Amino acid sequence: MFLKKLWIVLFGLFLTAFGIKILAQNLLTFGGTAGVATIFTYFTSFSWGLLFLFVNLPFFIISIQQLGKWFTLSSSLSIIGISFIRDAFDFIVPAFQISDITATVLAGGFIGIGVTLVLNNGSSLGGIHILALYLDKKFNLNRGLTIFVCDSLIILFAVLYVGWNSAFYSIACIVIASFIIGRYKVSPIKEVEIKEEAIILNEAAKL
């Protein structure tokens, strides 16, 4: 069961990383910490993966305090994984050019499905996703809606760097991804909490 979930999460990371790669090829961006990292690549020499790791650091405080150590560990591994995968795509995937509309639909689909697979199997990609999961757990607020609102606000700030036309397509990509994430959600926190309870009961039985 664990190996099955691991492979599903890895597949989700590959899909998400490829979706972000498509956006970068068309000078589009995304929301959340992925979008922040993308914007920073426009005016720094650091790789997307390194920037993504850096901007996610503050959210681990929320995660470890509110969502549990196992979920935080799983999310940390996913963040490190997608950082390596996304940077690897820059070397192994040749440059290509497609229309902005095609890039928006493909990237939105890949990212939406990829993030859903990651979230539904006990992990996350940090940042806004951690915040969304916390609000979903605490107030039963749909995580797709939370991600959409936060990502749209970030895109508005990104207008200065990508322009209104690119921002429009970027928001459309977020709409597609957020719809998929909100439509096919399963609470990964609940699964992790069950695992933690099982571990505690196991330890107690040994005493």
Side-chain angles (χ1 to χ4, degrees):
M1 189 65 169
F2 172 76
L3 285 178
K4 179 182 178 181
K5 284 182 175 292
L6 177 61
W7 282 113
I8 292 175
V9 169
L10 284 174
F11 183 57
L13 295 179
F14 271 96
L15 289 179
T16 305
F18 190 64
I20 294 171
K21 173 66 177 178
I22 292 174
L23 291 177
Q25 286 294 125
N26 281 61
L27 295 180
L28 302 177
T29 188
F30 201 69
T33 49
V36 174
T38 300
I39 294 170
F40 281 163
T41 61
Y42 295 153
F43 55 88
T44 69
S45 57
F46 296 109
S47 70
W48 184 91
L50 184 61
L51 290 167
F52 186 65
L53 286 172
F54 179 76
V55 297
N56 269 293
L57 291 178
F59 290 94
F60 284 111
I61 299 174
I62 297 176
S63 182
I64 200 164
Q65 290 180 347
Q66 303 292 336
L67 305 181
K69 60 182 180 180
W70 296 107
F71 178 77
T72 303
L73 176 62
S74 175
S75 299
S76 300
L77 293 175
S78 291
I79 289 169
I80 293 171
I82 196 173
S83 296
F84 277 107
I85 294 169
R86 172 62 184 83
D87 283 354
F89 278 152
D90 284 339
F91 293 98
I92 63 178
V93 177
F96 59 89
Q97 190 65 40
I98 56 180
S99 70
D100 286 343
I101 295 178
T102 303
T104 297
V105 174
L106 287 178
F110 281 135
I111 294 172
I113 295 171
V115 170
T116 298
L117 291 176
V118 173
L119 291 177
N120 287 357
N121 285 277
S123 189
S124 82
L125 290 173
I128 303 303
H129 297 128
I130 287 178
L131 178 63
L133 287 170
Y134 169 67
L135 294 177
D136 191 1
K137 176 188 177 184
K138 193 77 172 177
F139 305 106
N140 197 31
L141 188 62
N142 186 287
R143 71 191 186 204
L145 177 62
T146 300
I147 292 171
F148 170 69
V149 172
C150 292
D151 286 351
S152 297
L153 290 174
I154 291 171
I155 289 295
L156 290 178
F157 285 103
V159 167
L160 292 174
Y161 300 100
V162 299
W164 282 104
N165 187 61
S166 294
F168 170 78
Y169 286 110
S170 297
I171 292 176
C173 178
I174 292 171
V175 171
I176 295 171
S178 298
F179 172 78
I180 295 173
I181 294 167
R183 176 67 177 80
Y184 299 101
K185 71 170 185 171
V186 172
S187 176
I189 299 172
K190 186 175 294 184
E191 291 189 13
V192 174
E193 287 176 340
I194 292 172
K195 289 180 182 177
E196 288 182 335
E197 288 177 7
I199 291 172
I200 293 171
L201 290 174
N202 241 354
E203 292 298 322
K206 293 177 182 177
L207 296 177

